[in-house]
Amino acid sequence: MDPPERLGMFRVVCLLAVFDAVCLLDTGMLFPRESSSREVKELNGLWDFRADQSPNRNQGFDRAWYKSRLAETGPVIDMPVPASYNDITQDPALRDFIGWVWYEREVVVPARWVADGGTRVVLRVGSAHYYSVVWVNGVKVTEHDGGHLPFEVEIGSLIRKDPTVPCRITIAVNNTLTLETLPPGTIQHMDDRTKYPEGFFVQNFNFDFFNYAGIHRPVLLYTTPKAYVDDITVVTDFLDNTGLVKYNVSVQGAANATLSVTLIDKDGRCVATSNGPAGVLKVVDVKLWWPYLMHENPGYLYSMEVRLTAADGKSTFEDVYSLPVGIRTVSVTSTQFLINNKPFYFHGVNKHEDSDIRGKGLDWPLIVKDFNLMKWLGANSFRTSHYPYAEEILQMCDRHGIVVIDECPGVGIKDIRSFGKASLTHHLVVMDELVRRDKNHPSVVMWSVANEPAAEMPPAEFYFKTLIQHTKALDPTRPVTYITASNYARDKGAPYVDVICVNSYFSWYHDPGHLEVIPIQLNTQFENWYGKYQKPIIQSEYGADAVPGLHSDPPVMFTEEYQKVVLQSYHNVFDQKRKQYVIGELIWNFADFMTVQGTATATTSRTTTAATSTRVELCYLFPSMTTVYCGFCNYCRQTLMLMLAVRYPAV
C-alpha cells in the first residue's frame, strides 16, 4: 500500500473512531419529512385556549380538564399555534401570565392511518415553553421538561380504540421558571396586603429578554411504517477530492431489516451507495459545504436516501427517509478556527426568535426576510442567543451557508443554587436533546452550553467541566464553548472550552461615557484571555445603545454619534487582533426584541433601541439618520442592514 492509500485508510479509521463516540444516544428525533412511506399532517392554526387563573394555577388538574372538551369545562378563546400567547389578546394579565395554560384541538385523522395497524401515528410538538403534559382523548401520553426542543409520542393505539371518535389533543404548558430549569428563575410571593392583592407573585430571572410562553413551533402528526428508520447520524471528512460520509442508521420495529443507502447530488445523480446499517460513503470529486462568501458555491448539500425493508411474517414494510448532508470538517488550533482546513472568521450577529405579536412563534416570512438581510449585509454566521432556534432555521442555514454557534437555554445561571445536582442533571439532558436534534446540520460548527453564567463561583468548575465533557462525548467532531463575562483569571469553566467567547461593553456598562478607554481595555481583555489560555477568541457580544434621532457633538451616550464611535473603536482593535488569535465578532443585536417592563428599558412599543433590551448597532453609516428602528418592520430592518454593511461588505 503506497503512502496516499495508507493516509486515506488512516482517515477512514479515524472517522470510524470519532463516529463511535457520536452514537451515544439511543433514540432518534429525525425531522418529519414526507416520503413514499411517510405522511405529515400539520395541526397549526386556531386551538381552544384557557389560562388557569386559579390561585394555585392547578384547577385544570384538580378538575381534570383533559377528560372532556375544554370548552365544556369553562370559557375558551382562540389561540394561534405556533405563537406565544402573551401578545395575542388585549388582556394585560395574560401578557404576563405565569402558570399553566391549556390548549386543545380536535383532529380528523385520515381513515387509512387508522385502518392500517402497520402504520405508526406520531404526535410531535416542535417546542413548548417550558413544561408540557399531553393527553389524547383524555389519556396522558407524554410530558416534557424544557422549551426550545421537540418531543413526540406514538398515539396509533389510542386513536384506533374507537375510530368514530375525533382525535382530541390536549396540551397543558407551564412557563414557570425555577432554580433547576433552563433558564432558571424564582417565584417571589408578595404577602404585604397593604401593597399587593391576595395571591400576588412575580417571576424573577437573570436574563434580558421577555419570557414568552406557549406552543412556539408546529404541532403535527406524522406516520411511519411499523418497522422504520429511527435515527441517522453522519460524520463527514474529505481527503484531496474524495469526500467521506460515515453513517449509522438506527432501526426500530424490526429485528432484521435490509438497508440501502444512496447519496445523491444536487443534480439528482447517484454519487455513492452502500448497504447495511453502518458504513462509509466515498464521494469522488466531492463538492464541500462552504460558508457564505467563503466559496463561490456555498451551502452545497447532498441528499442521503435511506431505504429500509423488513418483514414480520405477515407483512412487508418499507420506509424511506432522506437526510440533507453537507460534507465539511471543523477544527480548532490555538489561533484559528478552521472549516475544511481553511481559516474561518466569524463576521456575524447575535439574534433572537422574537417578533411582533407572535412572540417566539415560528414565522416563515420573517425568517426568510432575515436571511435575505443577513446575506445582503455580508454576515456569514450567528449565535442562537440564548436558546436553540427552530429546526427550520437551521435548515435554512444549511442551504445558505450561514454558520451557527448552537446555544442551549443555559442563560441566567447566576444563583449558586442553580449549580446543584438537579440543575446539572437537567442541563445534561438538554444537551442530549440538543445534540440529538442538530448533530447532522453542517451549519452547526460549535456548541455553546451557557451564556454569561456566574462562572467565578466555586461550584462552576465541576459543573462546566462535567457539562463540557458530556457534550464532547456526545459529539467529539465539534468544539464546545460557553459565553463568558467573567474575569479571565477567575473563570472556572474557561480551562475546559475549546474557544474563548467573551462579551464586553467598554465605555457602556464599564466606564460609561469614556470612549477613550475602549482601545486600551479591549486590547487588555484579549491579551489577558489569550495569555492565560492560549485559545482562539471570539468577541461574542459588543455594542452600545442609541436612541434613533438623538444627536450630540461631541458624542454622548445614547446618541447615534456615540454608538458610531464605540463601533469604530472596537473594529479598529478587531482588525489588529484578527491577525493573531481573534477569530470572530458577533454584534449585539441583529434586531430589536422584547424585554420585561422596567425603568431601564422601553418595552411598551417596539420603536426604540433603549438600554439593555437592545444594543442594535445604529448609525454607523448614517450619523444623521432620524428614522426610528423598531426591529420588526421591513424598512427599519433594511436600514439597520445598510449601516452594518460597512463592516461586513458582501462583495
Side-chain angles (χ1 to χ4, degrees), residues 46-78:
L46 294 180
W47 289 52
D48 285 346
F49 176 90
R50 180 188 305 142
D52 187 340
Q53 301 280 2
S54 61
N56 65 358
R57 302 295 197 256
N58 220 43
Q59 186 180 93
F61 290 92
D62 295 339
R63 298 186 180 180
W65 288 351
Y66 51 85
K67 288 188 175 180
S68 59
R69 293 177 61 246
L70 193 61
E72 294 175 1
T73 61
V76 296
I77 62 173
D78 290 337

PDB file of all heavy atoms in Angstrom, residues 46-78:
ATOM      1  N   LEU A  46     -55.868  27.577  14.635  1.00  0.00           N
ATOM      2  CA  LEU A  46     -56.518  28.018  15.868  1.00  0.00           C
ATOM      3  C   LEU A  46     -56.823  26.841  16.775  1.00  0.00           C
ATOM      4  O   LEU A  46     -57.422  25.853  16.355  1.00  0.00           O
ATOM      5  CB  LEU A  46     -57.802  28.786  15.548  1.00  0.00           C
ATOM      6  CG  LEU A  46     -57.627  30.121  14.823  1.00  0.00           C
ATOM      7  CD1 LEU A  46     -58.985  30.764  14.588  1.00  0.00           C
ATOM      8  CD2 LEU A  46     -56.719  31.053  15.609  1.00  0.00           C
ATOM      9  N   TRP A  47     -56.402  26.958  18.031  1.00  0.00           N
ATOM     10  CA  TRP A  47     -56.699  25.982  19.070  1.00  0.00           C
ATOM     11  C   TRP A  47     -57.566  26.651  20.136  1.00  0.00           C
ATOM     12  O   TRP A  47     -57.499  27.879  20.326  1.00  0.00           O
ATOM     13  CB  TRP A  47     -55.407  25.482  19.722  1.00  0.00           C
ATOM     14  CG  TRP A  47     -54.556  24.594  18.871  1.00  0.00           C
ATOM     15  CD1 TRP A  47     -54.102  24.832  17.609  1.00  0.00           C
ATOM     16  CD2 TRP A  47     -54.034  23.313  19.250  1.00  0.00           C
ATOM     17  NE1 TRP A  47     -53.325  23.790  17.162  1.00  0.00           N
ATOM     18  CE2 TRP A  47     -53.263  22.843  18.152  1.00  0.00           C
ATOM     19  CE3 TRP A  47     -54.132  22.523  20.393  1.00  0.00           C
ATOM     20  CZ2 TRP A  47     -52.608  21.607  18.182  1.00  0.00           C
ATOM     21  CZ3 TRP A  47     -53.475  21.301  20.429  1.00  0.00           C
ATOM     22  CH2 TRP A  47     -52.728  20.845  19.329  1.00  0.00           C
ATOM     23  N   ASP A  48     -58.369  25.865  20.833  1.00  0.00           N
ATOM     24  CA  ASP A  48     -59.048  26.370  22.028  1.00  0.00           C
ATOM     25  C   ASP A  48     -57.994  26.585  23.114  1.00  0.00           C
ATOM     26  O   ASP A  48     -57.050  25.797  23.251  1.00  0.00           O
ATOM     27  CB  ASP A  48     -60.101  25.381  22.511  1.00  0.00           C
ATOM     28  CG  ASP A  48     -61.341  25.379  21.635  1.00  0.00           C
ATOM     29  OD1 ASP A  48     -61.502  26.318  20.826  1.00  0.00           O
ATOM     30  OD2 ASP A  48     -62.132  24.420  21.734  1.00  0.00           O
ATOM     31  N   PHE A  49     -58.206  27.640  23.919  1.00  0.00           N
ATOM     32  CA  PHE A  49     -57.170  28.037  24.875  1.00  0.00           C
ATOM     33  C   PHE A  49     -57.802  28.565  26.146  1.00  0.00           C
ATOM     34  O   PHE A  49     -58.814  29.268  26.112  1.00  0.00           O
ATOM     35  CB  PHE A  49     -56.284  29.116  24.248  1.00  0.00           C
ATOM     36  CG  PHE A  49     -55.230  29.686  25.164  1.00  0.00           C
ATOM     37  CD1 PHE A  49     -53.969  29.122  25.228  1.00  0.00           C
ATOM     38  CD2 PHE A  49     -55.496  30.804  25.957  1.00  0.00           C
ATOM     39  CE1 PHE A  49     -52.987  29.648  26.058  1.00  0.00           C
ATOM     40  CE2 PHE A  49     -54.522  31.340  26.789  1.00  0.00           C
ATOM     41  CZ  PHE A  49     -53.264  30.754  26.833  1.00  0.00           C
ATOM     42  N   ARG A  50     -57.162  28.240  27.268  1.00  0.00           N
ATOM     43  CA  ARG A  50     -57.565  28.819  28.541  1.00  0.00           C
ATOM     44  C   ARG A  50     -56.352  28.881  29.464  1.00  0.00           C
ATOM     45  O   ARG A  50     -55.584  27.904  29.562  1.00  0.00           O
ATOM     46  CB  ARG A  50     -58.660  27.988  29.216  1.00  0.00           C
ATOM     47  CG  ARG A  50     -59.120  28.574  30.573  1.00  0.00           C
ATOM     48  CD  ARG A  50     -60.049  27.642  31.324  1.00  0.00           C
ATOM     49  NE  ARG A  50     -61.183  27.288  30.507  1.00  0.00           N
ATOM     50  CZ  ARG A  50     -61.743  26.088  30.488  1.00  0.00           C
ATOM     51  NH1 ARG A  50     -61.266  25.122  31.255  1.00  0.00           N
ATOM     52  NH2 ARG A  50     -62.779  25.841  29.716  1.00  0.00           N
ATOM     53  N   ALA A  51     -56.187  30.008  30.125  1.00  0.00           N
ATOM     54  CA  ALA A  51     -55.188  30.122  31.188  1.00  0.00           C
ATOM     55  C   ALA A  51     -55.850  29.746  32.512  1.00  0.00           C
ATOM     56  O   ALA A  51     -56.981  30.162  32.792  1.00  0.00           O
ATOM     57  CB  ALA A  51     -54.638  31.540  31.251  1.00  0.00           C
ATOM     58  N   ASP A  52     -55.145  28.960  33.296  1.00  0.00           N
ATOM     59  CA  ASP A  52     -55.656  28.562  34.606  1.00  0.00           C
ATOM     60  C   ASP A  52     -55.403  29.693  35.598  1.00  0.00           C
ATOM     61  O   ASP A  52     -54.311  29.842  36.131  1.00  0.00           O
ATOM     62  CB  ASP A  52     -54.952  27.277  35.058  1.00  0.00           C
ATOM     63  CG  ASP A  52     -55.556  26.693  36.338  1.00  0.00           C
ATOM     64  OD1 ASP A  52     -56.227  27.446  37.074  1.00  0.00           O
ATOM     65  OD2 ASP A  52     -55.345  25.492  36.601  1.00  0.00           O
ATOM     66  N   GLN A  53     -56.435  30.483  35.848  1.00  0.00           N
ATOM     67  CA  GLN A  53     -56.312  31.669  36.696  1.00  0.00           C
ATOM     68  C   GLN A  53     -56.545  31.370  38.171  1.00  0.00           C
ATOM     69  O   GLN A  53     -56.564  32.295  38.987  1.00  0.00           O
ATOM     70  CB  GLN A  53     -57.312  32.736  36.236  1.00  0.00           C
ATOM     71  CG  GLN A  53     -57.142  33.182  34.791  1.00  0.00           C
ATOM     72  CD  GLN A  53     -56.019  34.190  34.607  1.00  0.00           C
ATOM     73  OE1 GLN A  53     -55.319  34.543  35.561  1.00  0.00           O
ATOM     74  NE2 GLN A  53     -55.832  34.677  33.388  1.00  0.00           N
ATOM     75  N   SER A  54     -56.701  30.125  38.525  1.00  0.00           N
ATOM     76  CA  SER A  54     -56.916  29.790  39.929  1.00  0.00           C
ATOM     77  C   SER A  54     -55.692  30.177  40.750  1.00  0.00           C
ATOM     78  O   SER A  54     -54.581  30.266  40.217  1.00  0.00           O
ATOM     79  CB  SER A  54     -57.195  28.293  40.083  1.00  0.00           C
ATOM     80  OG  SER A  54     -56.092  27.519  39.630  1.00  0.00           O
ATOM     81  N   PRO A  55     -55.870  30.430  42.055  1.00  0.00           N
ATOM     82  CA  PRO A  55     -54.745  30.914  42.869  1.00  0.00           C
ATOM     83  C   PRO A  55     -53.510  30.020  42.811  1.00  0.00           C
ATOM     84  O   PRO A  55     -52.387  30.514  42.783  1.00  0.00           O
ATOM     85  CB  PRO A  55     -55.344  30.964  44.289  1.00  0.00           C
ATOM     86  CG  PRO A  55     -56.806  31.186  44.053  1.00  0.00           C
ATOM     87  CD  PRO A  55     -57.138  30.424  42.814  1.00  0.00           C
ATOM     88  N   ASN A  56     -53.695  28.716  42.788  1.00  0.00           N
ATOM     89  CA  ASN A  56     -52.532  27.819  42.733  1.00  0.00           C
ATOM     90  C   ASN A  56     -52.229  27.335  41.319  1.00  0.00           C
ATOM     91  O   ASN A  56     -51.341  26.503  41.126  1.00  0.00           O
ATOM     92  CB  ASN A  56     -52.727  26.620  43.666  1.00  0.00           C
ATOM     93  CG  ASN A  56     -53.881  25.724  43.226  1.00  0.00           C
ATOM     94  OD1 ASN A  56     -54.572  25.994  42.250  1.00  0.00           O
ATOM     95  ND2 ASN A  56     -54.086  24.643  43.974  1.00  0.00           N
ATOM     96  N   ARG A  57     -52.975  27.854  40.334  1.00  0.00           N
ATOM     97  CA  ARG A  57     -52.790  27.525  38.915  1.00  0.00           C
ATOM     98  C   ARG A  57     -52.987  26.033  38.649  1.00  0.00           C
ATOM     99  O   ARG A  57     -52.533  25.525  37.627  1.00  0.00           O
ATOM    100  CB  ARG A  57     -51.395  27.938  38.430  1.00  0.00           C
ATOM    101  CG  ARG A  57     -51.058  29.404  38.591  1.00  0.00           C
ATOM    102  CD  ARG A  57     -51.951  30.266  37.708  1.00  0.00           C
ATOM    103  NE  ARG A  57     -51.424  31.613  37.536  1.00  0.00           N
ATOM    104  CZ  ARG A  57     -51.893  32.695  38.147  1.00  0.00           C
ATOM    105  NH1 ARG A  57     -52.877  32.567  39.019  1.00  0.00           N
ATOM    106  NH2 ARG A  57     -51.381  33.884  37.907  1.00  0.00           N
ATOM    107  N   ASN A  58     -53.686  25.336  39.540  1.00  0.00           N
ATOM    108  CA  ASN A  58     -53.767  23.882  39.423  1.00  0.00           C
ATOM    109  C   ASN A  58     -55.194  23.379  39.226  1.00  0.00           C
ATOM    110  O   ASN A  58     -55.435  22.174  39.268  1.00  0.00           O
ATOM    111  CB  ASN A  58     -53.175  23.221  40.671  1.00  0.00           C
ATOM    112  CG  ASN A  58     -52.357  22.002  40.339  1.00  0.00           C
ATOM    113  OD1 ASN A  58     -51.582  22.023  39.392  1.00  0.00           O
ATOM    114  ND2 ASN A  58     -52.531  20.931  41.110  1.00  0.00           N
ATOM    115  N   GLN A  59     -56.125  24.283  38.970  1.00  0.00           N
ATOM    116  CA  GLN A  59     -57.515  23.869  38.847  1.00  0.00           C
ATOM    117  C   GLN A  59     -57.713  22.903  37.686  1.00  0.00           C
ATOM    118  O   GLN A  59     -58.509  21.966  37.765  1.00  0.00           O
ATOM    119  CB  GLN A  59     -58.408  25.100  38.659  1.00  0.00           C
ATOM    120  CG  GLN A  59     -59.883  24.802  38.665  1.00  0.00           C
ATOM    121  CD  GLN A  59     -60.724  26.052  38.468  1.00  0.00           C
ATOM    122  OE1 GLN A  59     -61.096  26.400  37.346  1.00  0.00           O
ATOM    123  NE2 GLN A  59     -60.992  26.754  39.562  1.00  0.00           N
ATOM    124  N   GLY A  60     -56.975  23.112  36.604  1.00  0.00           N
ATOM    125  CA  GLY A  60     -57.131  22.239  35.443  1.00  0.00           C
ATOM    126  C   GLY A  60     -56.825  20.790  35.744  1.00  0.00           C
ATOM    127  O   GLY A  60     -57.478  19.879  35.221  1.00  0.00           O
ATOM    128  N   PHE A  61     -55.841  20.554  36.607  1.00  0.00           N
ATOM    129  CA  PHE A  61     -55.518  19.186  37.007  1.00  0.00           C
ATOM    130  C   PHE A  61     -56.500  18.691  38.066  1.00  0.00           C
ATOM    131  O   PHE A  61     -56.931  17.533  38.032  1.00  0.00           O
ATOM    132  CB  PHE A  61     -54.084  19.121  37.534  1.00  0.00           C
ATOM    133  CG  PHE A  61     -53.046  19.314  36.467  1.00  0.00           C
ATOM    134  CD1 PHE A  61     -52.540  20.577  36.192  1.00  0.00           C
ATOM    135  CD2 PHE A  61     -52.592  18.241  35.729  1.00  0.00           C
ATOM    136  CE1 PHE A  61     -51.589  20.757  35.213  1.00  0.00           C
ATOM    137  CE2 PHE A  61     -51.636  18.410  34.744  1.00  0.00           C
ATOM    138  CZ  PHE A  61     -51.129  19.679  34.478  1.00  0.00           C
ATOM    139  N   ASP A  62     -56.859  19.553  39.009  1.00  0.00           N
ATOM    140  CA  ASP A  62     -57.779  19.148  40.063  1.00  0.00           C
ATOM    141  C   ASP A  62     -59.135  18.742  39.491  1.00  0.00           C
ATOM    142  O   ASP A  62     -59.771  17.792  39.977  1.00  0.00           O
ATOM    143  CB  ASP A  62     -57.962  20.280  41.074  1.00  0.00           C
ATOM    144  CG  ASP A  62     -56.677  20.595  41.832  1.00  0.00           C
ATOM    145  OD1 ASP A  62     -55.789  19.715  41.880  1.00  0.00           O
ATOM    146  OD2 ASP A  62     -56.561  21.717  42.371  1.00  0.00           O
ATOM    147  N   ARG A  63     -59.568  19.454  38.448  1.00  0.00           N
ATOM    148  CA  ARG A  63     -60.883  19.175  37.860  1.00  0.00           C
ATOM    149  C   ARG A  63     -60.781  18.365  36.565  1.00  0.00           C
ATOM    150  O   ARG A  63     -61.789  18.176  35.876  1.00  0.00           O
ATOM    151  CB  ARG A  63     -61.627  20.489  37.608  1.00  0.00           C
ATOM    152  CG  ARG A  63     -61.890  21.272  38.888  1.00  0.00           C
ATOM    153  CD  ARG A  63     -62.752  22.490  38.644  1.00  0.00           C
ATOM    154  NE  ARG A  63     -63.004  23.227  39.881  1.00  0.00           N
ATOM    155  CZ  ARG A  63     -63.738  24.335  39.969  1.00  0.00           C
ATOM    156  NH1 ARG A  63     -64.312  24.839  38.861  1.00  0.00           N
ATOM    157  NH2 ARG A  63     -63.903  24.940  41.121  1.00  0.00           N
ATOM    158  N   ALA A  64     -59.573  17.932  36.242  1.00  0.00           N
ATOM    159  CA  ALA A  64     -59.348  17.032  35.091  1.00  0.00           C
ATOM    160  C   ALA A  64     -59.933  17.608  33.805  1.00  0.00           C
ATOM    161  O   ALA A  64     -60.759  16.978  33.135  1.00  0.00           O
ATOM    162  CB  ALA A  64     -59.911  15.650  35.387  1.00  0.00           C
ATOM    163  N   TRP A  65     -59.506  18.805  33.439  1.00  0.00           N
ATOM    164  CA  TRP A  65     -59.991  19.428  32.204  1.00  0.00           C
ATOM    165  C   TRP A  65     -59.730  18.561  30.977  1.00  0.00           C
ATOM    166  O   TRP A  65     -60.413  18.677  29.962  1.00  0.00           O
ATOM    167  CB  TRP A  65     -59.319  20.792  32.023  1.00  0.00           C
ATOM    168  CG  TRP A  65     -59.800  21.848  32.978  1.00  0.00           C
ATOM    169  CD1 TRP A  65     -60.857  21.760  33.830  1.00  0.00           C
ATOM    170  CD2 TRP A  65     -59.246  23.149  33.163  1.00  0.00           C
ATOM    171  NE1 TRP A  65     -61.002  22.926  34.546  1.00  0.00           N
ATOM    172  CE2 TRP A  65     -60.020  23.810  34.152  1.00  0.00           C
ATOM    173  CE3 TRP A  65     -58.176  23.832  32.609  1.00  0.00           C
ATOM    174  CZ2 TRP A  65     -59.748  25.106  34.584  1.00  0.00           C
ATOM    175  CZ3 TRP A  65     -57.900  25.134  33.024  1.00  0.00           C
ATOM    176  CH2 TRP A  65     -58.675  25.768  34.001  1.00  0.00           C
ATOM    177  N   TYR A  66     -58.738  17.724  31.046  1.00  0.00           N
ATOM    178  CA  TYR A  66     -58.353  16.911  29.900  1.00  0.00           C
ATOM    179  C   TYR A  66     -59.332  15.774  29.609  1.00  0.00           C
ATOM    180  O   TYR A  66     -59.273  15.148  28.556  1.00  0.00           O
ATOM    181  CB  TYR A  66     -56.961  16.315  30.129  1.00  0.00           C
ATOM    182  CG  TYR A  66     -56.805  15.614  31.458  1.00  0.00           C
ATOM    183  CD1 TYR A  66     -57.172  14.286  31.629  1.00  0.00           C
ATOM    184  CD2 TYR A  66     -56.306  16.295  32.570  1.00  0.00           C
ATOM    185  CE1 TYR A  66     -57.055  13.644  32.852  1.00  0.00           C
ATOM    186  CE2 TYR A  66     -56.175  15.661  33.800  1.00  0.00           C
ATOM    187  CZ  TYR A  66     -56.549  14.348  33.935  1.00  0.00           C
ATOM    188  OH  TYR A  66     -56.430  13.723  35.148  1.00  0.00           O
ATOM    189  N   LYS A  67     -60.248  15.477  30.549  1.00  0.00           N
ATOM    190  CA  LYS A  67     -61.149  14.346  30.368  1.00  0.00           C
ATOM    191  C   LYS A  67     -62.320  14.639  29.441  1.00  0.00           C
ATOM    192  O   LYS A  67     -62.986  13.715  28.967  1.00  0.00           O
ATOM    193  CB  LYS A  67     -61.668  13.870  31.730  1.00  0.00           C
ATOM    194  CG  LYS A  67     -60.613  13.153  32.563  1.00  0.00           C
ATOM    195  CD  LYS A  67     -61.218  12.532  33.798  1.00  0.00           C
ATOM    196  CE  LYS A  67     -60.180  11.717  34.568  1.00  0.00           C
ATOM    197  NZ  LYS A  67     -60.753  11.088  35.787  1.00  0.00           N
ATOM    198  N   SER A  68     -62.594  15.908  29.198  1.00  0.00           N
ATOM    199  CA  SER A  68     -63.679  16.280  28.284  1.00  0.00           C
ATOM    200  C   SER A  68     -63.210  17.463  27.451  1.00  0.00           C
ATOM    201  O   SER A  68     -62.114  17.991  27.648  1.00  0.00           O
ATOM    202  CB  SER A  68     -64.947  16.635  29.066  1.00  0.00           C
ATOM    203  OG  SER A  68     -64.700  17.714  29.954  1.00  0.00           O
ATOM    204  N   ARG A  69     -64.043  17.879  26.526  1.00  0.00           N
ATOM    205  CA  ARG A  69     -63.672  19.020  25.693  1.00  0.00           C
ATOM    206  C   ARG A  69     -63.431  20.239  26.579  1.00  0.00           C
ATOM    207  O   ARG A  69     -64.188  20.497  27.517  1.00  0.00           O
ATOM    208  CB  ARG A  69     -64.754  19.304  24.660  1.00  0.00           C
ATOM    209  CG  ARG A  69     -64.905  18.233  23.610  1.00  0.00           C
ATOM    210  CD  ARG A  69     -66.052  18.516  22.647  1.00  0.00           C
ATOM    211  NE  ARG A  69     -65.820  19.765  21.921  1.00  0.00           N
ATOM    212  CZ  ARG A  69     -66.566  20.854  22.046  1.00  0.00           C
ATOM    213  NH1 ARG A  69     -67.595  20.854  22.899  1.00  0.00           N
ATOM    214  NH2 ARG A  69     -66.304  21.930  21.346  1.00  0.00           N
ATOM    215  N   LEU A  70     -62.377  20.980  26.267  1.00  0.00           N
ATOM    216  CA  LEU A  70     -62.004  22.121  27.090  1.00  0.00           C
ATOM    217  C   LEU A  70     -63.140  23.126  27.177  1.00  0.00           C
ATOM    218  O   LEU A  70     -63.367  23.747  28.223  1.00  0.00           O
ATOM    219  CB  LEU A  70     -60.734  22.771  26.513  1.00  0.00           C
ATOM    220  CG  LEU A  70     -60.004  23.785  27.389  1.00  0.00           C
ATOM    221  CD1 LEU A  70     -59.535  23.147  28.684  1.00  0.00           C
ATOM    222  CD2 LEU A  70     -58.817  24.384  26.635  1.00  0.00           C
ATOM    223  N   ALA A  71     -63.885  23.300  26.093  1.00  0.00           N
ATOM    224  CA  ALA A  71     -64.989  24.262  26.075  1.00  0.00           C
ATOM    225  C   ALA A  71     -66.124  23.841  27.000  1.00  0.00           C
ATOM    226  O   ALA A  71     -66.968  24.674  27.370  1.00  0.00           O
ATOM    227  CB  ALA A  71     -65.506  24.428  24.648  1.00  0.00           C
ATOM    228  N   GLU A  72     -66.167  22.576  27.400  1.00  0.00           N
ATOM    229  CA  GLU A  72     -67.220  22.100  28.289  1.00  0.00           C
ATOM    230  C   GLU A  72     -66.891  22.359  29.756  1.00  0.00           C
ATOM    231  O   GLU A  72     -67.761  22.224  30.620  1.00  0.00           O
ATOM    232  CB  GLU A  72     -67.449  20.603  28.064  1.00  0.00           C
ATOM    233  CG  GLU A  72     -68.000  20.276  26.687  1.00  0.00           C
ATOM    234  CD  GLU A  72     -68.107  18.772  26.453  1.00  0.00           C
ATOM    235  OE1 GLU A  72     -67.754  18.005  27.385  1.00  0.00           O
ATOM    236  OE2 GLU A  72     -68.531  18.377  25.354  1.00  0.00           O
ATOM    237  N   THR A  73     -65.647  22.728  30.049  1.00  0.00           N
ATOM    238  CA  THR A  73     -65.237  22.950  31.438  1.00  0.00           C
ATOM    239  C   THR A  73     -65.113  24.434  31.773  1.00  0.00           C
ATOM    240  O   THR A  73     -64.751  24.777  32.903  1.00  0.00           O
ATOM    241  CB  THR A  73     -63.894  22.261  31.716  1.00  0.00           C
ATOM    242  OG1 THR A  73     -62.884  22.815  30.857  1.00  0.00           O
ATOM    243  CG2 THR A  73     -63.996  20.773  31.477  1.00  0.00           C
ATOM    244  N   GLY A  74     -65.410  25.293  30.808  1.00  0.00           N
ATOM    245  CA  GLY A  74     -65.320  26.725  31.044  1.00  0.00           C
ATOM    246  C   GLY A  74     -65.075  27.482  29.761  1.00  0.00           C
ATOM    247  O   GLY A  74     -64.991  26.895  28.672  1.00  0.00           O
ATOM    248  N   PRO A  75     -64.953  28.796  29.851  1.00  0.00           N
ATOM    249  CA  PRO A  75     -64.764  29.605  28.646  1.00  0.00           C
ATOM    250  C   PRO A  75     -63.399  29.359  28.006  1.00  0.00           C
ATOM    251  O   PRO A  75     -62.406  29.120  28.700  1.00  0.00           O
ATOM    252  CB  PRO A  75     -64.887  31.042  29.165  1.00  0.00           C
ATOM    253  CG  PRO A  75     -64.538  30.948  30.616  1.00  0.00           C
ATOM    254  CD  PRO A  75     -65.017  29.619  31.076  1.00  0.00           C
ATOM    255  N   VAL A  76     -63.358  29.441  26.684  1.00  0.00           N
ATOM    256  CA  VAL A  76     -62.110  29.313  25.939  1.00  0.00           C
ATOM    257  C   VAL A  76     -62.036  30.464  24.947  1.00  0.00           C
ATOM    258  O   VAL A  76     -63.038  31.100  24.616  1.00  0.00           O
ATOM    259  CB  VAL A  76     -62.019  27.968  25.186  1.00  0.00           C
ATOM    260  CG1 VAL A  76     -61.988  26.806  26.159  1.00  0.00           C
ATOM    261  CG2 VAL A  76     -63.154  27.824  24.189  1.00  0.00           C
ATOM    262  N   ILE A  77     -60.828  30.741  24.488  1.00  0.00           N
ATOM    263  CA  ILE A  77     -60.623  31.723  23.441  1.00  0.00           C
ATOM    264  C   ILE A  77     -59.819  31.080  22.324  1.00  0.00           C
ATOM    265  O   ILE A  77     -59.215  30.021  22.494  1.00  0.00           O
ATOM    266  CB  ILE A  77     -59.881  32.986  23.955  1.00  0.00           C
ATOM    267  CG1 ILE A  77     -58.474  32.626  24.458  1.00  0.00           C
ATOM    268  CG2 ILE A  77     -60.691  33.675  25.038  1.00  0.00           C
ATOM    269  CD1 ILE A  77     -57.629  33.844  24.814  1.00  0.00           C
ATOM    270  N   ASP A  78     -59.808  31.717  21.154  1.00  0.00           N
ATOM    271  CA  ASP A  78     -58.985  31.257  20.048  1.00  0.00           C
ATOM    272  C   ASP A  78     -57.524  31.591  20.320  1.00  0.00           C
ATOM    273  O   ASP A  78     -57.203  32.699  20.765  1.00  0.00           O
ATOM    274  CB  ASP A  78     -59.401  31.927  18.740  1.00  0.00           C
ATOM    275  CG  ASP A  78     -60.753  31.447  18.246  1.00  0.00           C
ATOM    276  OD1 ASP A  78     -61.163  30.342  18.639  1.00  0.00           O
ATOM    277  OD2 ASP A  78     -61.391  32.181  17.465  1.00  0.00           O
TER     278      ASP A  78
END
